[in-house]
Amino acid sequence: MSLKSVRPKNAYVKLYSEDGSVGYYQEDDISGEHSLVSIEKAIRIAKDNRKLHKRRHYMSLHPNPDDRYRLRVHTVNKQFERYSKGEPELAIGRNYDESMTHKCAVEALSRMRHMKFIFVGDCKHKPLEFDFTSVRKEPCLNLPNSAMYYPDLLCTFEEDHEMYDKWGGKLAIEVKYKHGCESYKIEDFMFHNIPVLELIIKNDTFRQFPAERPDWPEERLWGPELVEKHINDLISYFEEGIYVTLIVNPISTRVHHCQRRCKTDPLTSI
């Protein structure tokens, strides 16, 4: 009988200075012993505070600190895994994008409730308009297979929409700037009936954040005013139509059964 390897759900935390030269274990205020952190908290820190995340090293549970090895945060399997020296750490969901271009696009979409999607290069799909009941930015999705993802946006819509039965009243939106969705994430979303639309932002276009364009002088300063202006400009542009690619197009069990009945039972087509 083979044994299943169970990865740790907790780890010790070693906090380093910003230059990485000095590190020390965080201690419990009551016991004074090295404190533990859960994988859930580690994932949340990696998502919400990248600066702090880079200073935190997660260490194995060996009682002797000298024998501990470094762990990395694995969000798909929701566990800590051994970190090999020289190997790049996994970012949150393996596709974290710290660019202002990505952040502004996600923020702009999160402020909208009415969206019109135009499908790039796909004449089969007519434009779809939605009046969303909710638009959640970077929610945590815990799937039944224990995988954890943070889609850029998760939207819900009412039963009277034509896509409600097929998509179950929800859809995810991913903004592609530096990279797109990985294959394993697409497969997981397909398996769990979560439709995904991908918005692509290319370099040197007006949808790119001004300070990240090639012609922006390095010495030129910018602040919150430019960020807010760019977000508002994106909203104005998106209100005319959002050009997307349908990368996950699942079909609900109810619609699948209905389609099978329509093909096998001639009375249902009358």
Side-chain angles (χ1 to χ4, degrees), residues 50-51 54 96-100 102-103 178 212:
R50 294 293 295 174
K51 186 176 181 179
K54 291 178 180 179
Y96 193 81
D97 189 342
E98 292 183 292
S99 68
M100 288 305 301
H102 182 270
K103 290 179 180 179
K178 293 183 178 180
E212 293 177 344

Side-chain angles (χ1 to χ4, degrees), residues 239-258:
E239 286 176 344
E240 299 298 321
I242 305 170
Y243 289 83
V244 296
T245 302
L246 182 59
I247 60 175
V248 177
N249 185 20
I251 183 170
S252 68
T253 303
R254 180 166 61 179
V255 173
H256 174 69
H257 288 167
C258 178

Side-chain angles (χ1 to χ4, degrees), residues 103-240:
K103 290 179 180 179
C104 288
V106 173
E107 177 62 27
L109 292 170
S110 73
R111 299 183 187 182
M112 301 175 64
R113 290 298 177 270
H114 179 83
M115 299 187 197
K116 177 183 178 181
F117 297 108
I118 302 170
F119 297 92
V120 179
D122 192 345
C123 299
K124 295 185 297 182
H125 292 282
K126 63 179 182 180
L128 287 177
E129 295 193 43
F130 291 86
D131 289 304
F132 291 119
T133 54
S134 69
V135 179
R136 298 170 58 197
K137 184 171 64 174
E138 299 177 346
C140 176
L141 297 185
N142 284 292
L143 301 183
N145 65 351
S146 298
M148 179 186 291
Y149 295 103
Y150 294 85
D152 289 331
L153 298 133
L154 184 66
C155 311
T156 58
F157 51 94
E158 297 284 3
E159 292 185 35
D160 57 357
H161 196 278
E162 61 183 295
M163 299 302 293
Y164 184 87
D165 282 346
K166 184 176 181 181
W167 287 354
K170 84 285 185 184
L171 67 88
I173 303 174
E174 294 284 358
V175 177
K176 178 182 178 181
Y177 175 52
K178 293 183 178 180
H179 41 67
C181 279
E182 294 82 353
S183 59
Y184 65 82
K185 184 175 181 180
I186 293 175
E187 291 172 0
D188 255 356
F189 276 40
M190 173 65 77
F191 184 77
H192 291 90
N193 291 324
I194 302 174
V196 181
L197 305 180
E198 185 176 66
L199 164 66
I200 299 176
I201 297 180
K202 297 181 179 180
N203 287 328
D204 205 15
T205 64
F206 70 92
R207 288 182 294 175
Q208 187 181 16
F209 185 65
E212 293 177 344
R213 297 172 190 169
D215 58 352
W216 183 271
E218 291 186 9
E219 68 278 3
R220 184 177 175 184
L221 301 178
W222 56 273
E225 296 81 7
L226 181 64
V227 175
E228 190 64 24
K229 180 182 183 304
H230 185 61
I231 291 172
N232 290 327
D233 289 343
L234 287 175
I235 291 174
S236 298
Y237 171 77
F238 290 150
E239 286 176 344
E240 299 298 321

Side-chain angles (χ1 to χ4, degrees), residues 39-138:
I39 183 63
E40 290 82 6
K41 185 174 181 180
I43 290 173
R44 202 65 252 178
I45 290 175
K47 183 64 177 177
D48 294 339
N49 193 336
R50 294 293 295 174
K51 186 176 181 179
L52 176 60
H53 174 69
K54 291 178 180 179
R55 295 176 56 201
R56 292 165 67 96
H57 288 190
Y58 300 100
M59 309 300 293
S60 65
L61 301 179
H62 198 285
N64 185 350
D66 295 333
D67 293 330
R68 293 172 186 166
Y69 52 83
R70 189 176 173 188
L71 302 170
R72 64 184 180 184
V73 178
H74 196 309
T75 61
V76 177
N77 296 330
K78 198 178 178 181
Q79 64 191 22
F80 290 106
E81 289 188 348
R82 186 160 187 164
Y83 175 80
S84 300
K85 187 176 181 181
E87 178 185 5
E89 285 192 85
L90 294 176
I92 190 72
R94 294 188 180 180
N95 66 341
Y96 193 81
D97 189 342
E98 292 183 292
S99 68
M100 288 305 301
T101 296
H102 182 270
K103 290 179 180 179
C104 288
V106 173
E107 177 62 27
L109 292 170
S110 73
R111 299 183 187 182
M112 301 175 64
R113 290 298 177 270
H114 179 83
M115 299 187 197
K116 177 183 178 181
F117 297 108
I118 302 170
F119 297 92
V120 179
D122 192 345
C123 299
K124 295 185 297 182
H125 292 282
K126 63 179 182 180
L128 287 177
E129 295 193 43
F130 291 86
D131 289 304
F132 291 119
T133 54
S134 69
V135 179
R136 298 170 58 197
K137 184 171 64 174
E138 299 177 346

